[in-house]
Amino acid sequence: MNLRRILAVTKRVFRDIKNDKRTIGLMLIAPIFAMFVFGLAFSGNVEDIHVIVVNHDQGFQTPNGENVSFSDKILPNLNNETLDIEYMDDEDKAIRKIEDGNAYAVIIFPENFTRNAYLGVEKFGPSFMRNSTVDSLPQAQIMIKDDESITTIKNSIIGAVQEAITETMKDEGIKFPVKVTQDAIYAKDADFIDSFVPGIMAFVVFLLATLLTLLAFVGERISGTLDRLMATPLQESEIVLGYALAFGTIGMIQAAFLLTVAVLVFNIMILGNVFLAFFVVALLAVVSQALGILLSSLAKREGQVIQFIPFIILPAFLLSGVFWPIEAIPRWLRPFSYMVPPTYAVDACRAIMLKGWGVSKIWPNIIALVIFAILFLMVAVWSLKKGKD
């Protein structure tokens, strides 16, 4: 082993990199981009969860004539950063907003809430209340009717309500006998894996379809196969649509395998039409392959394809709601989530599988994916024509 020859090889590699300005740029930008996106995504807490408060509590008049309302004491202590609170009087209308996907939960204070809490304090006495556990007492009840399809959001809502109760007890110097109960409107008893699988299914198909198309097109450009295809009577639109059909089919096959494993191994919850979920994933695959064709025009060799991965994976991984909700992303970054196609596929698949929704409710997501598909396919065709010219 000769050190001089080793250093000569090293020098040649650095000389090649020096002559490739695009590679140098990607080498510097990619790690900065990765750190930037990860840092922003992990630095935020779940915020702005839209919930509705329906307060039926009529308060209670104590024997000394004082009017008491424990609900009015708890509500100001609800965390306004975690919860985006809307107040309504009609419980049925509030629940319909949950069913339509326009809110995550309804927090309901029953009309006898203060009465039950106060009588519990009176029965056992303030001294006993200070030194006993709440579970041992007769309790007033706060009901939360919620969408449990995203477990992180469900837990954040419960945590915010419980923290408000604890803070109110601290302010008042006594323990209220209050119990928080849940009634799931969607995804009752759903686990994290149930909300995770629809997202990972869309993410995997997006990632593989984009990278496979990107590698295939760059390989065909390098080998000259694409030039030979372009020399045939085939039109650029026919080449792109041929790839779209192929990778749409592959996307459905991948989704079928993923879903089969999820059902057989993890026993995930599926309430809606599986074939509709397949259609959404196939549509995402079409979007992804068109994106791969676009990116292929920017890569001169296969080595540069690897450097595109952070710009493909990280936005989809962190901004599309696959692993944590969009509400956990900093507010100013959230609009970028809706510029990432997997966001719409993840939301649609989760709604189909955990809420049992059909086309009538997920059509905005389908329209968004169709728009992405048309736009990317048109630009992909244009990029091929430009390369031909």
Side-chain angles (χ1 to χ4, degrees), residues 227-279:
D227 291 334
R228 290 192 290 272
L229 278 175
M230 299 291 287
T232 68
L234 282 171
Q235 298 180 0
E236 293 82 359
S237 58
E238 293 171 339
I239 295 173
V240 171
L241 290 176
Y243 268 84
L245 180 60
F247 282 99
T249 303
I250 291 172
M252 292 187 70
I253 295 172
Q254 290 170 338
F257 277 116
L258 289 168
L259 197 57
T260 300
V261 171
V263 171
L264 296 180
V265 178
F266 299 106
N267 193 30
I268 66 163
M269 180 182 298
I270 302 178
L271 302 178
N273 189 326
V274 173
F275 296 103
L276 182 57
F278 285 163
F279 170 75

Side-chain angles (χ1 to χ4, degrees), residues 34-45 317-318 323-324 328-330:
M35 181 60 70
F36 177 77
V37 175
F38 269 109
L40 287 173
F42 282 107
S43 64
N45 298 315
F317 182 85
L318 298 171
F323 298 99
W324 47 81
I329 301 172

